[in-house]
Amino acid sequence: MNQTLKGHKSAVLCCCWNETYRKLTTVDQYGLIIVWMLHQGMWYEEMINNRNKSVVRAMKWTADGQKICIVYEDGAVIVGSVDGNRLWGKDMPTGLMNVEWSPDANYILFVTDASELHMYDLLGAKVKQIPTLLDGPRDRSRDRPKVVAVHWYDGMEGYADASAPTLAVAFSDGRVQLMRGAEDADPVTVESRLRLRECKWNTRGTALAVAGARANEGPDRRGDSVVQFYSPH
């Protein structure tokens, strides 16, 4: 279907889908968040939230659709339930760029503006910092790459290979770190040779798509948009 959603007064920057409860969540450039529901063939506003202090950088629902985590550029975090209740909020000591839930929804993975991965528990207490490829000597320079995407396969369709990585972290320089959970000390490294923007698992966790642009030596340096597909290994 095609419908113009009229609740936003400015450009929509981010949206996410709640598969279990069939809800759409959108956020615009001024931080207005709207949860939409389908009723008699039309989408209607069900819930609205507007912190009106900072830009929303990312939103993610848990795999079961029960909870949503919203992160702001200034470090604010809001965790809410599907029925609209605010469960907790927190002001992080650093700015935030992305967020992801663990498959069991017991942990939240935050990507900071310094491209560090910080894991917190369900109540908002910090558990650990996850090492990344950026911690090596190659990436200790001032212009080191950034974490541009993170996706953790939620396991909703089972595991074809119990030993396969499920957590993907993509970097702007084309590398992807594939981990068998947060405790993996020997992650798989992919060299895509793209300027990456996004990565996503398929619904069975058996293929990872990475999207970006080829390096272009021409004067405009735009490059061709490319999607590459990888196995978990």
Side-chain angles (χ1 to χ4, degrees):
M1 64 182 299
N2 186 14
Q3 178 188 334
T4 300
L5 304 181
K6 297 181 179 180
H8 292 291
K9 306 299 182 184
S10 61
V12 174
L13 298 183
C14 178
C15 65
C16 62
W17 177 248
N18 186 326
E19 177 68 23
T20 305
Y21 291 91
R22 317 298 287 177
K23 296 178 186 290
L24 176 69
T25 310
T26 57
V27 60
D28 63 29
Q29 66 187 41
Y30 295 127
L32 176 65
I33 301 169
I34 303 178
V35 179
W36 305 85
M37 64 176 295
L38 187 64
H39 179 67
Q40 296 182 346
M42 294 289 290
W43 288 95
Y44 292 95
E45 297 176 7
E46 182 185 28
M47 289 178 279
I48 295 177
N49 181 282
N50 191 2
R51 179 169 167 263
N52 202 26
K53 287 185 179 181
S54 180
V55 176
V56 175
R57 281 300 178 187
M59 308 178 292
K60 292 288 177 65
W61 288 96
T62 55
D64 61 9
Q66 290 282 346
K67 301 181 185 69
I68 188 172
C69 184
I70 304 161
V71 298
Y72 292 82
E73 188 176 56
D74 65 359
V77 176
I78 295 175
V79 175
S81 65
V82 68
D83 56 9
N85 292 323
R86 177 183 171 125
L87 301 178
W88 57 268
K90 186 180 184 70
D91 289 321
M92 305 279 277
T94 179
L96 298 175
M97 302 303 292
N98 212 333
V99 63
E100 182 61 296
W101 289 90
S102 65
D104 60 7
N106 287 330
Y107 299 96
I108 311 175
L109 191 60
F110 297 109
V111 180
T112 72
D113 55 7
S115 288
E116 296 174 343
L117 301 182
H118 294 182
M119 177 172 281
Y120 282 68
D121 67 18
L122 192 56
L123 300 178
K126 186 173 181 179
V127 176
K128 63 179 293 186
Q129 180 174 335
I130 298 177
T132 72
L133 299 175
L134 301 183
D135 297 326
R138 166 179 167 181
D139 300 297
R140 288 177 181 162
S141 60
R142 183 178 301 175
D143 56 347
R144 72 178 195 160
K146 298 289 187 182
V147 173
V148 294
V150 57
H151 194 203
W152 207 333
Y153 169 55
D154 58 21
M156 294 297 285
E157 295 190 21
Y159 297 89
D161 180 353
S163 66
T166 55
L167 174 58
V169 183
F171 302 88
S172 57
D173 66 350
R175 290 177 294 170
V176 184
Q177 178 173 325
L178 303 177
M179 304 178 67
R180 300 163 186 85
E183 305 297 329
D184 191 353
D186 187 25
V188 176
T189 302
V190 172
E191 293 275 2
S192 72
R193 293 179 171 81
L194 300 176
R195 297 195 303 275
L196 288 180
R197 295 292 302 275
E198 185 61 278
C199 71
K200 290 287 183 183
W201 291 104
N202 67 347
T203 60
R204 296 175 57 231
T206 56
L208 180 75
V210 301
R214 281 199 188 96
N216 188 351
E217 299 303 326
D220 59 1
R221 296 190 60 82
R222 290 174 58 189
D224 297 327
S225 295
V226 177
V227 180
Q228 296 176 353
F229 298 87
Y230 295 88
S231 77
H233 298 287

